[in-house]
Amino acid sequence: MSLRIKITPELGSLISFLCIFIFFGVFAPRFLTIESIGSMLNMAAEFGIVVVGVTLLMTGGEFDLSVGSVFALGSFIFVSAISNGVNPYLAFVFVILSGIMIGLLNGLITVKTGIPSFLTTLGTMLFWRGVMLGLSGGQTIPFQIKSRLIENAGGRFVDPFLNSVWIFLVTVLIFHLIFEHSRYGNWLRASGGNKIVGELMGLPVNKTKIQAFIVCSVLASFAGFLDACRLKTFNPLLGQGMELEAIAASVLGGTSLLGGYGTLIGSLFGVLIISALRVGLVMMGMTVYIYFSLVGVILIAAILIKHRFSVKFIKGA
Amino acid sequence: MSQVPIIELKNIRKFYGKIEALKGVDFLIYPGEIVGLVGDNGAGKSTLVKIMMGVFPPDAGEIFVEGKKVNLRSPSESRKFGFEPVYQETDLISQLNIWRNFFLGKEITKKFFIAKFLDKKKMRDITSKALDNIGIKIKNPDSDIMALSGGERRSVSIGRAWHFGGKILILDEPVTGLSVKETEKVLEYLKKIKKTGCSVVIITHNIYHVYDVADRIAILDRGTKVAEMRKEDCTPEEIMDIIRGKKKIV
Amino acid sequence: MRMSVLTWLKSKPEFGTFASFLCIFIFFGVFAPRFLTIESIGSMLNMAVELGIVVVGVTLLMTGGEFDLSVGSVFALGNFVFIYLILQNFPIFLGFILAIASGVIIGIINGWITTRFAVPSFIVTLGMLWAIRGFLLFLATKQWWTLYGIQSTFLDVLNGKTFIFYNAVFWFLVLVVIGHIVLENTRFGNQIRACGGDKLNARFMGINVNKLKIFTFMLTGGLAAFAGTTNLSRFRYFHWYLGVGMELEAVAAVVLGGTLLTGGYGTLIGSLIGVLLLSMLRNGMILLGIPGYWYQAIIGAFFIIAMALNIKLRAKR
Ligand SMILES: Nc1ncnc2c1ncn2[C@@H]1O[C@H](COP(=O)(O)OP(=O)(O)O)[C@@H](O)[C@H]1O
Ligand SMILES: [Mg+2]
């Protein structure tokens, strides 16, 4: 009559997060203050929104390496549009439309040509980064335009939390519901788990995947928009390296690299682990550089732990 | 027979590049019968049922469903007519649990404001009941597929196909890789399924497996149907001889 | 006779890349002034070598079905160890050996973790990417690292200029030839392919899969560090940013050449063409006077088209 809890990957990421959290709570002065928790969440929000999309897509068995570029492009489109006198709401619509278009393109190329999405999106990553650099001339673009939209998207209703934190949490919740409680979530997992079987069972596998590509790009460009509203400037270096970090956060949360399994609650903690490390190390007075090393080591440790549990689980069954 | 066949395939031909996998095959299935489709490896059995399942179209020939000429353009069209597959390769997705697999593509949802949510409770219940009805005991519909034995997995596939099929179950090598005991169990399920009025096509290259359960047996050899007979009219040995090419068509 | 040469060419998996290479070469030859000069060819090769040396290892590794995302960091590490030891007045040759050893050790760690625990090398080496980069950031951002004023025949031989070529061009070509012979004509090469194609079967055939894989990781790490030492001998300074993003560039060059992302097939001649293609594109665009910001966009678009072509041609065979 022993109490048996199935160690799901999301539980694993929650435990790791708590360990890190408690560690800093003990060793870093002022870590357990509302400000520091605020800055942890603020740091997590935009990146986290991107990770939601990446998790979705990876569950569907596909990669998107272009998210960093699309993130920057979202910021660029918004900032350059409003700087040229376009109404911010309309500019926001442009951002979302561009996300839809980019995702559709990623999806169509992958599905129609059979190029692995890792490579398709490696190509579009370079392409959109180049387009953005070309159009912006590699310049940062600050702006001073005032608008309700910008104030709300980049501001904070409840100090010290940025509004993007709430948006992030709501996004996680919505997609968690979609994952666990909708047909689409079921189909996406099936498409990622075994495309051939999915097709045999009559699922619209390709359509399901293309939709996931679109969601992923829309979320990335939306996060770019939030970034622009917060910083009131566009920077062409934005989002570089984000593609691999997003994959890492997803995997930390328990999403399978091979597709078929993903969890948004896990990804939430994956993202929080990364930003807790960052904030915590700064508060311990460590140089932020060591943070990269720690993220790397934790990533390797996480995959090893996950491996141990899953092997035990299969053996035990 | 006076009955209308549920499905009738006429003069079906299929090429894989230069290989002619089916060289003009006729095949039909009546309601409520178990048909054994036998033949050596590479005879074209899987190809024939894949055409019935709408996986790919034939290169020539016609398909009639209940007397009406149709084109089966996709698996989902085929499933709409009530043809349910259990493939030779596994047709369960190992990352999904039992009830998710059971209802894959046919999920039950309930409306909640504007969104449609999965009705998990209902699906769990139906899964357990459906499997129970044909004698399959599954502990928990939330179990991982990875945790099931080969026979249990096959049973889930069969139970699912029966539950959703209604008309014809198509089983491609359902007992390959199973132990003798598990094989017997699977054949028992098929008999129960037949009693519910559902037809079954069972593919195998081992005649002894189907002889017991089949009403009618068709033999394919290198893309041609070389014989077809009612079980009463032949012995397993005769059929083996035809498969081995020792005996000509009766 | 001419027909048969064409059929022979077409039968090669490198054909697609080679054809794109020729097309682009002719295009630039016609439209870019001074493209067909010996200087321009030289600078194309010179631009290619560091990435090229890395790509030799990555090709073997990917043929064996594994990834190494840490090559960019190991490249920087090789650079750093070498310059550090030289500045500590170590004998230069010893420094060179130790620098390569650092890469070999990282490779062994990557390979050991991947094979011992059967976890995806993608994640292990992604962790390693950050672990090393963070370490370099931590150690190396406090001072300027340059070899200004140090004379060394060894460095000149390693990567001085002969005629218009840097000597590393020579090392690169030698490595490609050796790698090609190994992959095509030795048991070792065959075994690498077997591992990448079907690990289980390979094991049944009596191949020690783990040992083989660790060895290819080691080779990849060693070559990445070697590329780092040649880079140092050429530029004579170190900056922590060296090699950032190189991992994806290497993958791009390798798959452009016809090596499969999923393993089981690889070609070093293809990789050579892939690397040259990338640097030719850059060089040609410079000569055409295209603003630098657009390079990535053009390379990205080209990459997708070339991959689609590769897949089409492969399907035909
Ligand atoms: N996807 C395919 N591509 C090419 N040839 C195939 C393919 N599938 C089956 N074949 C060939 O068609 C013939 C019939 O195959 P199949 O229908 O699978 O036979 P069976 O199921 O009776 O063993 C065989 O010669 C087989 O090699
Ligand atoms: Mg078959």
Side-chain angles (χ1 to χ4, degrees), chain C residues 6-45:
Chain C
L6 193 66
T7 356
W8 176 78
L9 262 181
K10 268 191 180 164
S11 75
K12 293 279 163 190
E14 298 90 349
F15 176 71
T17 324
F18 185 66
S20 337
F21 182 85
L22 270 187
C23 290
I24 292 176
F25 190 81
I26 291 169
F27 174 84
F28 282 135
V30 173
F31 292 101
R34 289 178 293 113
F35 181 75
L36 288 179
T37 59
I38 193 84
E39 286 79 18
S40 138
I41 307 274
S43 76
M44 186 175 105
L45 277 165

mmCIF file of all heavy atoms in Angstrom, chain C residues 6-45:
data_model
loop_
_atom_site.group_PDB
_atom_site.id
_atom_site.type_symbol
_atom_site.label_atom_id
_atom_site.label_comp_id
_atom_site.label_asym_id
_atom_site.label_seq_id
_atom_site.Cartn_x
_atom_site.Cartn_y
_atom_site.Cartn_z
ATOM 1 N N LEU C 6 27.444 12.184 -68.110
ATOM 2 C CA LEU C 6 26.322 12.874 -67.487
ATOM 3 C C LEU C 6 25.509 11.925 -66.604
ATOM 4 O O LEU C 6 25.143 12.262 -65.477
ATOM 5 C CB LEU C 6 25.426 13.479 -68.573
ATOM 6 C CG LEU C 6 24.401 14.489 -68.038
ATOM 7 C CD1 LEU C 6 25.095 15.716 -67.477
ATOM 8 C CD2 LEU C 6 23.413 14.875 -69.115
ATOM 9 N N THR C 7 25.265 10.733 -67.116
ATOM 10 C CA THR C 7 24.514 9.760 -66.303
ATOM 11 C C THR C 7 25.280 9.427 -65.041
ATOM 12 O O THR C 7 24.699 9.293 -63.964
ATOM 13 C CB THR C 7 24.275 8.437 -67.080
ATOM 14 O OG1 THR C 7 24.774 8.582 -68.385
ATOM 15 C CG2 THR C 7 22.816 8.081 -67.094
ATOM 16 N N TRP C 8 26.590 9.290 -65.202
ATOM 17 C CA TRP C 8 27.421 8.978 -64.042
ATOM 18 C C TRP C 8 27.303 10.087 -63.006
ATOM 19 O O TRP C 8 27.114 9.847 -61.821
ATOM 20 C CB TRP C 8 28.874 8.798 -64.495
ATOM 21 C CG TRP C 8 29.815 8.563 -63.349
ATOM 22 C CD1 TRP C 8 29.997 7.396 -62.667
ATOM 23 C CD2 TRP C 8 30.691 9.523 -62.754
ATOM 24 N NE1 TRP C 8 30.933 7.568 -61.678
ATOM 25 C CE2 TRP C 8 31.366 8.858 -61.712
ATOM 26 C CE3 TRP C 8 30.956 10.876 -62.990
ATOM 27 C CZ2 TRP C 8 32.314 9.515 -60.916
ATOM 28 C CZ3 TRP C 8 31.896 11.522 -62.206
ATOM 29 C CH2 TRP C 8 32.551 10.829 -61.169
ATOM 30 N N LEU C 9 27.403 11.324 -63.510
ATOM 31 C CA LEU C 9 27.293 12.474 -62.613
ATOM 32 C C LEU C 9 25.946 12.475 -61.909
ATOM 33 O O LEU C 9 25.843 12.672 -60.708
ATOM 34 C CB LEU C 9 27.426 13.765 -63.413
ATOM 35 C CG LEU C 9 28.799 14.431 -63.424
ATOM 36 C CD1 LEU C 9 28.740 15.703 -64.247
ATOM 37 C CD2 LEU C 9 29.248 14.738 -62.007
ATOM 38 N N LYS C 10 24.891 12.228 -62.698
ATOM 39 C CA LYS C 10 23.541 12.268 -62.153
ATOM 40 C C LYS C 10 23.335 11.199 -61.092
ATOM 41 O O LYS C 10 22.521 11.359 -60.194
ATOM 42 C CB LYS C 10 22.519 12.074 -63.274
ATOM 43 C CG LYS C 10 22.035 13.368 -63.875
ATOM 44 C CD LYS C 10 20.843 13.067 -64.757
ATOM 45 C CE LYS C 10 20.290 14.315 -65.398
ATOM 46 N NZ LYS C 10 19.396 13.960 -66.519
ATOM 47 N N SER C 11 24.068 10.116 -61.230
ATOM 48 C CA SER C 11 23.880 9.021 -60.283
ATOM 49 C C SER C 11 24.481 9.355 -58.924
ATOM 50 O O SER C 11 24.243 8.674 -57.941
ATOM 51 C CB SER C 11 24.520 7.746 -60.833
ATOM 52 O OG SER C 11 25.926 7.830 -60.703
ATOM 53 N N LYS C 12 25.281 10.438 -58.887
ATOM 54 C CA LYS C 12 25.919 10.800 -57.612
ATOM 55 C C LYS C 12 24.973 11.644 -56.774
ATOM 56 O O LYS C 12 24.323 12.546 -57.306
ATOM 57 C CB LYS C 12 27.195 11.632 -57.897
ATOM 58 C CG LYS C 12 28.278 10.836 -58.583
ATOM 59 C CD LYS C 12 29.020 10.027 -57.574
ATOM 60 C CE LYS C 12 29.813 8.939 -58.256
ATOM 61 N NZ LYS C 12 30.375 7.985 -57.314
ATOM 62 N N PRO C 13 24.915 11.372 -55.473
ATOM 63 C CA PRO C 13 24.027 12.162 -54.620
ATOM 64 C C PRO C 13 24.479 13.620 -54.509
ATOM 65 O O PRO C 13 23.685 14.488 -54.170
ATOM 66 C CB PRO C 13 24.099 11.461 -53.271
ATOM 67 C CG PRO C 13 25.275 10.575 -53.328
ATOM 68 C CD PRO C 13 25.583 10.305 -54.755
ATOM 69 N N GLU C 14 25.745 13.863 -54.802
ATOM 70 C CA GLU C 14 26.237 15.241 -54.710
ATOM 71 C C GLU C 14 25.822 16.067 -55.926
ATOM 72 O O GLU C 14 26.103 17.240 -56.005
ATOM 73 C CB GLU C 14 27.769 15.276 -54.600
ATOM 74 C CG GLU C 14 28.340 14.602 -53.381
ATOM 75 C CD GLU C 14 28.627 13.130 -53.635
ATOM 76 O OE1 GLU C 14 28.187 12.594 -54.689
ATOM 77 O OE2 GLU C 14 29.278 12.489 -52.788
ATOM 78 N N PHE C 15 25.191 15.397 -56.886
ATOM 79 C CA PHE C 15 24.908 16.055 -58.157
ATOM 80 C C PHE C 15 24.105 17.338 -57.987
ATOM 81 O O PHE C 15 24.433 18.369 -58.565
ATOM 82 C CB PHE C 15 24.166 15.098 -59.090
ATOM 83 C CG PHE C 15 23.759 15.726 -60.385
ATOM 84 C CD1 PHE C 15 24.704 16.048 -61.347
ATOM 85 C CD2 PHE C 15 22.429 16.034 -60.638
ATOM 86 C CE1 PHE C 15 24.332 16.643 -62.528
ATOM 87 C CE2 PHE C 15 22.054 16.636 -61.823
ATOM 88 C CZ PHE C 15 23.002 16.942 -62.772
ATOM 89 N N GLY C 16 23.064 17.274 -57.160
ATOM 90 C CA GLY C 16 22.204 18.443 -56.969
ATOM 91 C C GLY C 16 23.002 19.649 -56.508
ATOM 92 O O GLY C 16 22.915 20.737 -57.077
ATOM 93 N N THR C 17 23.819 19.421 -55.481
ATOM 94 C CA THR C 17 24.639 20.509 -54.950
ATOM 95 C C THR C 17 25.627 20.995 -55.977
ATOM 96 O O THR C 17 25.855 22.191 -56.130
ATOM 97 C CB THR C 17 25.450 20.003 -53.746
ATOM 98 O OG1 THR C 17 24.658 19.087 -53.048
ATOM 99 C CG2 THR C 17 25.849 21.139 -52.867
ATOM 100 N N PHE C 18 26.217 20.023 -56.672
ATOM 101 C CA PHE C 18 27.221 20.380 -57.667
ATOM 102 C C PHE C 18 26.593 21.223 -58.767
ATOM 103 O O PHE C 18 27.163 22.222 -59.212
ATOM 104 C CB PHE C 18 27.854 19.108 -58.247
ATOM 105 C CG PHE C 18 28.975 19.385 -59.186
ATOM 106 C CD1 PHE C 18 30.149 19.963 -58.722
ATOM 107 C CD2 PHE C 18 28.861 19.075 -60.530
ATOM 108 C CE1 PHE C 18 31.183 20.240 -59.591
ATOM 109 C CE2 PHE C 18 29.890 19.352 -61.407
ATOM 110 C CZ PHE C 18 31.056 19.935 -60.935
ATOM 111 N N ALA C 19 25.383 20.831 -59.180
ATOM 112 C CA ALA C 19 24.688 21.590 -60.217
ATOM 113 C C ALA C 19 24.400 23.007 -59.734
ATOM 114 O O ALA C 19 24.653 23.975 -60.463
ATOM 115 C CB ALA C 19 23.386 20.887 -60.592
ATOM 116 N N SER C 20 23.912 23.143 -58.489
ATOM 117 C CA SER C 20 23.657 24.500 -57.979
ATOM 118 C C SER C 20 24.964 25.284 -57.939
ATOM 119 O O SER C 20 25.012 26.469 -58.261
ATOM 120 C CB SER C 20 23.059 24.498 -56.571
ATOM 121 O OG SER C 20 22.422 23.323 -56.283
ATOM 122 N N PHE C 21 26.018 24.594 -57.517
ATOM 123 C CA PHE C 21 27.322 25.243 -57.426
ATOM 124 C C PHE C 21 27.711 25.815 -58.785
ATOM 125 O O PHE C 21 28.075 26.977 -58.911
ATOM 126 C CB PHE C 21 28.367 24.236 -56.940
ATOM 127 C CG PHE C 21 29.728 24.826 -56.759
ATOM 128 C CD1 PHE C 21 30.059 25.464 -55.569
ATOM 129 C CD2 PHE C 21 30.673 24.760 -57.767
ATOM 130 C CE1 PHE C 21 31.310 26.016 -55.393
ATOM 131 C CE2 PHE C 21 31.932 25.320 -57.602
ATOM 132 C CZ PHE C 21 32.248 25.938 -56.409
ATOM 133 N N LEU C 22 27.603 24.975 -59.827
ATOM 134 C CA LEU C 22 27.982 25.405 -61.171
ATOM 135 C C LEU C 22 27.134 26.577 -61.635
ATOM 136 O O LEU C 22 27.654 27.575 -62.137
ATOM 137 C CB LEU C 22 27.807 24.252 -62.152
ATOM 138 C CG LEU C 22 29.029 23.353 -62.345
ATOM 139 C CD1 LEU C 22 28.767 22.360 -63.461
ATOM 140 C CD2 LEU C 22 30.259 24.200 -62.662
ATOM 141 N N CYS C 23 25.817 26.469 -61.424
ATOM 142 C CA CYS C 23 24.913 27.533 -61.862
ATOM 143 C C CYS C 23 25.319 28.860 -61.231
ATOM 144 O O CYS C 23 25.445 29.885 -61.911
ATOM 145 C CB CYS C 23 23.476 27.237 -61.466
ATOM 146 S SG CYS C 23 22.781 25.888 -62.395
ATOM 147 N N ILE C 24 25.534 28.805 -59.922
ATOM 148 C CA ILE C 24 25.840 30.047 -59.222
ATOM 149 C C ILE C 24 27.216 30.566 -59.618
ATOM 150 O O ILE C 24 27.422 31.766 -59.785
ATOM 151 C CB ILE C 24 25.726 29.820 -57.713
ATOM 152 C CG1 ILE C 24 24.260 29.575 -57.404
ATOM 153 C CG2 ILE C 24 26.229 31.004 -56.932
ATOM 154 C CD1 ILE C 24 23.994 29.256 -55.995
ATOM 155 N N PHE C 25 28.119 29.630 -59.803
ATOM 156 C CA PHE C 25 29.468 30.016 -60.232
ATOM 157 C C PHE C 25 29.390 30.755 -61.567
ATOM 158 O O PHE C 25 29.956 31.829 -61.736
ATOM 159 C CB PHE C 25 30.327 28.751 -60.379
ATOM 160 C CG PHE C 25 31.777 29.041 -60.585
ATOM 161 C CD1 PHE C 25 32.591 29.332 -59.507
ATOM 162 C CD2 PHE C 25 32.319 29.029 -61.859
ATOM 163 C CE1 PHE C 25 33.924 29.600 -59.688
ATOM 164 C CE2 PHE C 25 33.666 29.310 -62.048
ATOM 165 C CZ PHE C 25 34.460 29.586 -60.959
ATOM 166 N N ILE C 26 28.624 30.192 -62.503
ATOM 167 C CA ILE C 26 28.502 30.811 -63.825
ATOM 168 C C ILE C 26 27.792 32.157 -63.704
ATOM 169 O O ILE C 26 28.220 33.157 -64.285
ATOM 170 C CB ILE C 26 27.745 29.873 -64.785
ATOM 171 C CG1 ILE C 26 28.623 28.657 -65.072
ATOM 172 C CG2 ILE C 26 27.387 30.592 -66.080
ATOM 173 C CD1 ILE C 26 27.912 27.532 -65.788
ATOM 174 N N PHE C 27 26.737 32.168 -62.875
ATOM 175 C CA PHE C 27 26.001 33.417 -62.684
ATOM 176 C C PHE C 27 26.927 34.542 -62.217
ATOM 177 O O PHE C 27 26.984 35.612 -62.814
ATOM 178 C CB PHE C 27 24.879 33.202 -61.658
ATOM 179 C CG PHE C 27 24.155 34.464 -61.297
ATOM 180 C CD1 PHE C 27 23.122 34.935 -62.088
ATOM 181 C CD2 PHE C 27 24.518 35.188 -60.162
ATOM 182 C CE1 PHE C 27 22.458 36.096 -61.762
ATOM 183 C CE2 PHE C 27 23.861 36.359 -59.833
ATOM 184 C CZ PHE C 27 22.821 36.812 -60.637
ATOM 185 N N PHE C 28 27.685 34.261 -61.155
ATOM 186 C CA PHE C 28 28.582 35.293 -60.644
ATOM 187 C C PHE C 28 29.684 35.587 -61.655
ATOM 188 O O PHE C 28 30.123 36.722 -61.801
ATOM 189 C CB PHE C 28 29.204 34.870 -59.317
ATOM 190 C CG PHE C 28 28.272 35.019 -58.156
ATOM 191 C CD1 PHE C 28 28.145 34.015 -57.210
ATOM 192 C CD2 PHE C 28 27.524 36.174 -57.988
ATOM 193 C CE1 PHE C 28 27.299 34.146 -56.132
ATOM 194 C CE2 PHE C 28 26.665 36.317 -56.908
ATOM 195 C CZ PHE C 28 26.550 35.291 -55.980
ATOM 196 N N GLY C 29 30.140 34.534 -62.337
ATOM 197 C CA GLY C 29 31.186 34.715 -63.346
ATOM 198 C C GLY C 29 30.757 35.730 -64.387
ATOM 199 O O GLY C 29 31.538 36.574 -64.834
ATOM 200 N N VAL C 30 29.478 35.678 -64.752
ATOM 201 C CA VAL C 30 28.986 36.587 -65.784
ATOM 202 C C VAL C 30 28.694 37.967 -65.198
ATOM 203 O O VAL C 30 29.073 38.991 -65.769
ATOM 204 C CB VAL C 30 27.711 36.004 -66.442
ATOM 205 C CG1 VAL C 30 27.091 37.019 -67.407
ATOM 206 C CG2 VAL C 30 28.041 34.713 -67.159
ATOM 207 N N PHE C 31 28.039 37.991 -64.033
ATOM 208 C CA PHE C 31 27.517 39.267 -63.542
ATOM 209 C C PHE C 31 28.394 39.994 -62.522
ATOM 210 O O PHE C 31 28.281 41.201 -62.378
ATOM 211 C CB PHE C 31 26.116 39.079 -62.964
ATOM 212 C CG PHE C 31 25.111 38.735 -64.010
ATOM 213 C CD1 PHE C 31 24.685 37.432 -64.190
ATOM 214 C CD2 PHE C 31 24.608 39.729 -64.854
ATOM 215 C CE1 PHE C 31 23.767 37.107 -65.172
ATOM 216 C CE2 PHE C 31 23.685 39.415 -65.834
ATOM 217 C CZ PHE C 31 23.266 38.100 -66.007
ATOM 218 N N ALA C 32 29.219 39.242 -61.790
ATOM 219 C CA ALA C 32 30.009 39.922 -60.774
ATOM 220 C C ALA C 32 31.390 40.262 -61.327
ATOM 221 O O ALA C 32 32.120 39.370 -61.746
ATOM 222 C CB ALA C 32 30.142 39.049 -59.531
ATOM 223 N N PRO C 33 31.722 41.530 -61.331
ATOM 224 C CA PRO C 33 33.042 41.908 -61.844
ATOM 225 C C PRO C 33 34.125 41.298 -60.965
ATOM 226 O O PRO C 33 33.967 41.182 -59.756
ATOM 227 C CB PRO C 33 33.032 43.441 -61.748
ATOM 228 C CG PRO C 33 31.963 43.760 -60.763
ATOM 229 C CD PRO C 33 30.953 42.664 -60.840
ATOM 230 N N ARG C 34 35.184 40.885 -61.555
ATOM 231 C CA ARG C 34 36.363 40.357 -60.851
ATOM 232 C C ARG C 34 36.089 39.061 -60.094
ATOM 233 O O ARG C 34 36.869 38.650 -59.269
ATOM 234 C CB ARG C 34 36.926 41.411 -59.876
ATOM 235 C CG ARG C 34 37.607 42.572 -60.598
ATOM 236 C CD ARG C 34 38.108 43.605 -59.624
ATOM 237 N NE ARG C 34 37.024 44.289 -58.948
ATOM 238 C CZ ARG C 34 36.772 44.182 -57.654
ATOM 239 N NH1 ARG C 34 37.536 43.461 -56.868
ATOM 240 N NH2 ARG C 34 35.744 44.826 -57.105
ATOM 241 N N PHE C 35 34.947 38.398 -60.386
ATOM 242 C CA PHE C 35 34.673 37.144 -59.681
ATOM 243 C C PHE C 35 35.609 36.042 -60.161
ATOM 244 O O PHE C 35 36.043 35.196 -59.393
ATOM 245 C CB PHE C 35 33.223 36.714 -59.903
ATOM 246 C CG PHE C 35 32.856 35.436 -59.197
ATOM 247 C CD1 PHE C 35 32.653 35.441 -57.830
ATOM 248 C CD2 PHE C 35 32.754 34.237 -59.894
ATOM 249 C CE1 PHE C 35 32.333 34.273 -57.164
ATOM 250 C CE2 PHE C 35 32.444 33.062 -59.226
ATOM 251 C CZ PHE C 35 32.232 33.085 -57.868
ATOM 252 N N LEU C 36 35.926 36.078 -61.462
ATOM 253 C CA LEU C 36 36.747 35.000 -62.022
ATOM 254 C C LEU C 36 38.240 35.316 -61.951
ATOM 255 O O LEU C 36 39.005 34.916 -62.811
ATOM 256 C CB LEU C 36 36.320 34.706 -63.453
ATOM 257 C CG LEU C 36 34.974 33.998 -63.561
ATOM 258 C CD1 LEU C 36 34.578 33.759 -65.002
ATOM 259 C CD2 LEU C 36 35.003 32.676 -62.800
ATOM 260 N N THR C 37 38.642 36.036 -60.921
ATOM 261 C CA THR C 37 40.071 36.286 -60.766
ATOM 262 C C THR C 37 40.609 35.341 -59.701
ATOM 263 O O THR C 37 39.858 34.808 -58.892
ATOM 264 C CB THR C 37 40.338 37.731 -60.306
ATOM 265 O OG1 THR C 37 39.653 37.905 -59.061
ATOM 266 C CG2 THR C 37 39.821 38.721 -61.326
ATOM 267 N N ILE C 38 41.912 35.166 -59.719
ATOM 268 C CA ILE C 38 42.529 34.249 -58.773
ATOM 269 C C ILE C 38 42.375 34.771 -57.345
ATOM 270 O O ILE C 38 42.187 34.010 -56.405
ATOM 271 C CB ILE C 38 44.014 34.009 -59.154
ATOM 272 C CG1 ILE C 38 44.586 32.827 -58.386
ATOM 273 C CG2 ILE C 38 44.844 35.251 -58.974
ATOM 274 C CD1 ILE C 38 44.267 31.524 -59.037
ATOM 275 N N GLU C 39 42.374 36.107 -57.181
ATOM 276 C CA GLU C 39 42.201 36.673 -55.839
ATOM 277 C C GLU C 39 40.830 36.317 -55.276
ATOM 278 O O GLU C 39 40.686 35.985 -54.108
ATOM 279 C CB GLU C 39 42.337 38.205 -55.857
ATOM 280 C CG GLU C 39 43.739 38.722 -56.023
ATOM 281 C CD GLU C 39 44.179 38.665 -57.468
ATOM 282 O OE1 GLU C 39 43.303 38.552 -58.357
ATOM 283 O OE2 GLU C 39 45.402 38.695 -57.715
ATOM 284 N N SER C 40 39.830 36.419 -56.168
ATOM 285 C CA SER C 40 38.479 36.175 -55.696
ATOM 286 C C SER C 40 38.297 34.704 -55.329
ATOM 287 O O SER C 40 37.685 34.366 -54.308
ATOM 288 C CB SER C 40 37.493 36.624 -56.771
ATOM 289 O OG SER C 40 36.463 35.709 -56.907
ATOM 290 N N ILE C 41 38.861 33.829 -56.157
ATOM 291 C CA ILE C 41 38.779 32.393 -55.847
ATOM 292 C C ILE C 41 39.491 32.139 -54.518
ATOM 293 O O ILE C 41 39.022 31.376 -53.667
ATOM 294 C CB ILE C 41 39.445 31.555 -56.956
ATOM 295 C CG1 ILE C 41 38.881 31.918 -58.320
ATOM 296 C CG2 ILE C 41 39.322 30.062 -56.647
ATOM 297 C CD1 ILE C 41 37.659 31.222 -58.742
ATOM 298 N N GLY C 42 40.658 32.804 -54.382
ATOM 299 C CA GLY C 42 41.421 32.641 -53.144
ATOM 300 C C GLY C 42 40.610 33.075 -51.938
ATOM 301 O O GLY C 42 40.539 32.358 -50.941
ATOM 302 N N SER C 43 39.960 34.220 -52.039
ATOM 303 C CA SER C 43 39.267 34.702 -50.841
ATOM 304 C C SER C 43 38.050 33.842 -50.562
ATOM 305 O O SER C 43 37.652 33.657 -49.409
ATOM 306 C CB SER C 43 38.898 36.183 -50.975
ATOM 307 O OG SER C 43 37.798 36.338 -51.807
ATOM 308 N N MET C 44 37.487 33.250 -51.622
ATOM 309 C CA MET C 44 36.376 32.319 -51.417
ATOM 310 C C MET C 44 36.848 31.123 -50.584
ATOM 311 O O MET C 44 36.183 30.715 -49.633
ATOM 312 C CB MET C 44 35.895 31.846 -52.774
ATOM 313 C CG MET C 44 34.683 31.004 -52.765
ATOM 314 S SD MET C 44 34.223 30.679 -54.473
ATOM 315 C CE MET C 44 34.744 28.997 -54.620
ATOM 316 N N LEU C 45 38.001 30.588 -50.954
ATOM 317 C CA LEU C 45 38.531 29.448 -50.204
ATOM 318 C C LEU C 45 38.925 29.859 -48.793
ATOM 319 O O LEU C 45 38.653 29.162 -47.819
ATOM 320 C CB LEU C 45 39.739 28.860 -50.932
ATOM 321 C CG LEU C 45 39.393 27.881 -52.056
ATOM 322 C CD1 LEU C 45 40.589 27.634 -52.949
ATOM 323 C CD2 LEU C 45 38.893 26.578 -51.456
#
